[in-house]
C-alpha cells in the first residue's frame, strides 16, 4: 500500500511567526483519515521566524523528535537542559511523566524543521532530552538511523517501537529500505523528489506505506529524505 499525501493537501496554520503544515491531525486541523500511522502521531513541517519561538509549555507521554532542515533551534526545559540544534542535526525529548520546555529560533534567519511525535510503548517514566549532529555526507546513498527504540548504534534513544532515519540521494540513485509487512513507514523528501512504485513523491509530500517488505526509491533529483518506521499502535 502506498498513499501519497501532497504538500498542498496537508493541514495549514499560519500564525505569522510560525507557518506550519500538518501531515496528521493536529491542533485546529482534523482529518479522521490522518490521525496516526502506526505509532507515528504527528509530523509537522514548521517555519519559525527569526527571533521567535514557542514559550514554555508542557508535554507528557510522547517521544518528540526535531529534525532541523535550515537554521537552528534552541531548547530549554524544566530539567535544566539547554542546547542548540543546527541544520541536519536532531534532538529528542522523551516527555515521560511530564516536562515543560521552550523552543526558540534565536537566529536572524528563519528556521525550518520537521517535528515528529511518536507514541511510546508505555506511559510515564523519567523525562529526558538529548541532541547530536548527523553529518549529511555520512548518509550519502544510505539510510542512517537518527533516533531509535531499538539497539541501533549512535542513534538517539527513544522509548517506542520505532526508528527515525535519514538519507541523501543524488539524482538517478536508487535506495532500498527493508522493512516488515506489519510495520508502518512514512517518508518525506525534505528536498528533491523521489519515484516509488512508479509514482512521484515531491518535496515535502508525505508517502505512507504498509504491508510491504521493501521500499524502493529512486531520486528524480538530488534528495534529502526523512523516514519513520514503526510498529502498529496496540
Amino acid at each position: 500500500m502506498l498513499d501519497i499525501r501532497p504538500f498542498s493537501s496537508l493541514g495549514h496554520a499560519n500564525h505569522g511567526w510560525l507557518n506550519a503544515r500538518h501531515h496528521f491531525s493536529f491542533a485546529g486541523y482534523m482529518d479522521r483519515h490522518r490521525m496516526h500511522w502506526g505509532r507515528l502521531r504527528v509530523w509537522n513541517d514548521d517555519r519559525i521566524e527569526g527571533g521567535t519561538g514557542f514559550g514554555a509549555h508542557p508535554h507528557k507521554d510522547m517521544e518528540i523528535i526535531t529534525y532541523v532542515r535550515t537554521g537552528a533551534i534552541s531548547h530549554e526545559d524544566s530539567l535544566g537542559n539547554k542546547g542548540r540544534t543546527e541544520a541536519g542535526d536532531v534532538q529528542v525529548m522523551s516527555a515521560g511523566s511530564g516536562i515543560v520546555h521552550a523552543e526558540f529560533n534565536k537566529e536572524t534567519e528563519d528556521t525550518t524543521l520537521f517535528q515528529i511525535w511518536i507514541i511510546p510503548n508505555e506511559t510515564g517514566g523519567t523525562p529526558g532530552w538529548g541532541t547530536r549532529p548527523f553529518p549529511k555526507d555520512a548518509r550519502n546513498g544510505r539510510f542512517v538511523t537518527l533516533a531509535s527504540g531499538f539497539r541501533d548504534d549512535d542513534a538517539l534513544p527513544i522509548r517506542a517501537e520505532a526508528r527515525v532515519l535519514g538519507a541523501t540521494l543524488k539524482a538517478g540513485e536508487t535506495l532500498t529500505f527493508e522493512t516488515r509487512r506489519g510495520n508502518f513507514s512514512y517518508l518525506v523528501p525534505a528536498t528533491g523528489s523521489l519515484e516509488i512504485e512508479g509514482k512521484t513523491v515531491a518535496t515535502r509530500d508525505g508517502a505512507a506505506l504498509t504491508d510491504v517488505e521493501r521500499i524502493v526509491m529512486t531520486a528524480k533529483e538530488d534528495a534529502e529524505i526523512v523516514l519513520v518506521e514503526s510498529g502498529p499502535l496496540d
Side-chain angles (χ1 to χ4, degrees):
M1 172 185 170
L2 168 61
D3 178 23
I4 297 175
R5 300 174 178 184
F7 179 75
S8 60
S9 75
L10 305 181
H12 187 208
N14 191 343
H15 304 283
W17 66 274
L18 170 68
N19 192 353
R21 298 279 180 168
H22 309 307
H23 286 258
F24 298 91
S25 296
F26 186 84
Y29 168 60
M30 176 61 66
D31 182 338
R32 65 185 182 86
H33 299 294
R34 297 183 181 181
M35 295 301 299
H36 66 91
W37 192 248
R39 290 192 168 272
L40 174 59
R41 174 62 188 87
V42 168
W43 191 311
N44 287 346
D45 181 329
D46 292 344
R47 179 194 56 76
I48 305 168
E49 191 175 273
T52 70
F54 301 90
H57 60 283
H59 290 282
K60 67 181 297 185
D61 297 326
M62 194 66 66
E63 302 299 295
I64 300 175
I65 299 96
T66 303
Y67 180 96
V68 181
R69 291 159 36 221
T70 63
I73 197 76
S74 295
H75 168 98
E76 297 181 11
D77 64 41
S78 53
L79 302 178
N81 295 309
K82 293 184 178 182
R84 179 176 177 274
T85 304
E86 298 181 349
D89 299 339
V90 177
Q91 70 172 16
V92 166
M93 187 174 73
S94 292
S97 59
I99 190 170
V100 175
H101 79 135
E103 305 285 338
F104 284 100
N105 175 11
K106 296 183 178 181
E107 318 304 311
T108 57
E109 62 181 350
D110 289 354
T111 288
T112 62
L113 55 82
F114 292 145
Q115 188 177 97
I116 296 165
W117 295 15
I118 298 175
I119 300 168
N121 291 348
E122 298 179 357
T123 59
T126 304
W129 174 85
T131 185
R132 62 155 296 179
F134 288 94
K136 290 184 182 180
D137 58 6
R139 309 180 221 161
N140 289 342
R142 70 186 187 102
F143 276 109
V144 169
T145 305
L146 310 174
S148 176
F150 305 99
R151 295 181 179 178
D152 290 310
D153 292 342
D154 299 325
L156 288 161
I158 57 175
R159 302 168 183 167
E161 185 185 346
R163 287 184 177 93
V164 182
L165 308 101
T168 58
L169 292 179
K170 295 293 186 183
E173 287 186 333
T174 295
L175 180 61
T176 299
F177 179 70
E178 303 287 346
T179 183
R180 296 187 303 175
R181 286 193 175 275
N183 285 352
F184 293 78
S185 297
Y186 196 89
L187 68 87
V188 178
T191 61
S193 61
L194 306 171
E195 182 175 296
I196 301 175
E197 296 182 7
K199 299 179 180 179
T200 297
V201 186
T203 303
R204 296 161 73 188
D205 288 354
L209 298 102
T210 191
D211 196 29
V212 297
E213 294 180 348
R214 63 188 55 84
I215 303 168
V216 181
M217 59 200 79
T218 300
K220 301 184 72 171
E221 54 188 325
D222 291 357
E224 177 185 350
I225 308 158
V226 181
L227 183 151
V228 173
E229 177 193 35
S230 80
L233 184 61
D234 298 334

